[in-house]
Amino acid sequence: MISTWITITSLLGVIALVAGVFFLERHLKHRRRQNLKNLPLPEGWPPILDKNFPLYRHIPPDIKSRLHQYMHVFLAEKSFEGCGGLEITEEMRVSIAAQACLLLLNDRGNFYPALRSILVYPDEYVNRRGLFLRSDHDERDERVLIGESWESGSVVLSWKHVRQGGKIINDGVNVVFHEFAHQLDQVSGNTDGAPELAGQHRYGAWSATMKTAYERLNRRIDRGQRTLFDEYGATNPAEFFAVATETFFEKARRMKKEYPDLYREFATFYKLDPADWRPPDTES
């Protein structure tokens, strides 16, 4: 009996120790992030963002200030690696961080907890996780890509397309928004177009609204009609969420007009209203 109580007491002690370490680490991470958020705005950031991410000019000052805070944390915690001979520069880090962090201002992405590294190629690249073996032919099928989001902890980007996507702010095509939207989707444990929402009660409306918009996109494509969203969004619900995120930030007014329910869901999720950021004549 005594030995049993000793065993239970020892087990409880281990549990308490583990819990204490967990909460201490959590506290230290929170304090470290708060210190990073309090850092001053580097003088070099605004010129880089004005050049490579002109949507930045239209972001309201209070949101822009929060964006800077999140960028400090993101840049301190994530590793950037050049691939294909590319040397990572401060311009690349800042340009990518700003666009990735704009998606985090709803305070639910937790700085992309599974993400450790951003791999950057100079241009398009062949899928570096291996080539796909076709079932009907004994040969390799090379996939040329401009971006990927891996559940294993990396985002892969083409710097050429990062710059193109950032500089053209009204075409609904932005590879950083797209791949980091996938990262948000993956936080919930499944890449299915349903990111982590504010509560379980939100999923019913989200699912119904996304399903309606997704099916409408597919019908328009089948009929050969023009679409607001890039046709790649018709691939599956996960890709639709990523494409709709691009559209939300770059064609906000059109999305609000043509898909008001979907726009409302995205505005609630991201806690942003980009339709109010720019004059009406700045969208195509």
Side-chain angles (χ1 to χ4, degrees):
M1 185 70 175
I2 294 175
S3 62
T4 300
W5 278 110
I6 292 174
T7 301
I8 294 173
T9 303
S10 299
L11 180 60
L12 291 174
V14 170
I15 293 173
L17 177 62
V18 171
V21 171
F22 171 78
F23 285 110
L24 177 60
E25 289 180 348
R26 188 172 178 179
H27 170 72
L28 292 175
K29 177 184 283 188
H30 175 75
R31 189 168 69 179
R32 183 173 66 250
R33 286 178 171 177
Q34 286 302 120
N35 290 337
L36 288 166
K37 287 180 179 180
N38 291 331
L39 291 174
L41 174 66
E43 293 182 3
W45 285 12
I48 290 173
L49 297 176
D50 281 343
K51 182 179 76 169
N52 290 339
F53 185 42
L55 180 62
Y56 171 81
R57 304 170 196 163
H58 305 285
I59 297 174
D62 59 326
I63 297 175
K64 194 178 290 187
S65 177
R66 290 181 60 218
L67 178 63
H68 298 154
Q69 294 177 344
Y70 278 61
M71 288 173 64
H72 278 300
V73 177
F74 184 91
L75 290 170
E77 294 186 353
K78 311 304 179 185
S79 169
F80 284 75
E81 301 176 29
C83 303
L86 184 69
E87 182 178 343
I88 295 295
T89 65
E90 186 70 0
E91 177 184 7
M92 295 173 189
R93 285 164 41 84
V94 169
S95 300
I96 293 169
Q99 294 169 75
C101 289
L102 191 59
L103 276 58
L104 292 176
L105 300 186
N106 59 9
D107 289 321
R108 284 198 297 278
N110 194 25
F111 293 95
Y112 306 110
L115 179 66
R116 297 186 302 274
S117 61
I118 297 96
L119 313 181
V120 188
Y121 282 85
D123 202 335
E124 298 173 338
Y125 61 93
V126 175
N127 181 294
R128 67 174 284 180
R129 287 185 295 177
L131 307 178
F132 292 82
L133 188 64
R134 299 188 213 169
S135 59
D136 56 340
H137 293 92
D138 186 19
E139 59 184 82
R140 299 287 181 171
D141 180 19
E142 296 187 4
R143 293 179 58 194
V144 178
L145 304 172
I146 65 171
E148 291 177 280
S149 174
W150 300 351
E151 294 181 3
S152 58
S154 296
V155 164
V156 191
L157 299 167
S158 156
W159 173 237
K160 175 183 175 181
H161 292 85
V162 168
R163 295 186 68 188
Q164 288 179 351
K167 285 185 176 181
I168 305 173
I169 63 175
N170 60 357
D171 65 350
V173 178
N174 182 300
V175 68
V176 179
F177 289 161
H178 186 103
E179 302 306 338
F180 280 91
H182 281 316
Q183 283 287 312
L184 290 179
D185 196 0
Q186 291 161 4
V187 169
S188 65
N190 297 301
T191 310
D192 55 7
E196 194 173 70
L197 303 179
Q200 286 296 320
H201 67 286
R202 294 291 313 142
Y203 283 94
W206 177 273
S207 178
T209 304
M210 288 284 284
K211 182 175 184 291
T212 298
Y214 177 67
E215 291 176 347
R216 179 178 167 187
L217 171 61
N218 277 274
R219 286 196 302 271
R220 293 186 67 85
I221 292 172
D222 291 342
R223 295 169 184 167
Q225 298 173 327
R226 295 183 63 184
T227 65
L228 170 65
F229 304 105
D230 189 290
E231 292 188 3
Y232 189 62
T235 304
N236 55 51
E239 294 300 346
F240 181 66
F241 170 63
V243 166
T245 293
E246 297 175 84
T247 306
F248 174 72
F249 285 105
E250 296 207 341
K251 293 186 175 182
R253 280 197 177 84
R254 284 191 57 193
M255 184 173 171
K256 190 173 186 177
K257 179 180 179 181
E258 298 180 26
Y259 291 80
D261 293 341
L262 186 65
Y263 184 87
R264 186 161 49 249
E265 288 294 329
F266 273 68
T268 299
F269 173 66
Y270 284 114
K271 294 186 179 179
L272 297 170
D273 190 5
D276 287 342
W277 292 357
R278 291 180 283 162
D281 59 356
T282 58
E283 287 191 15
S284 59

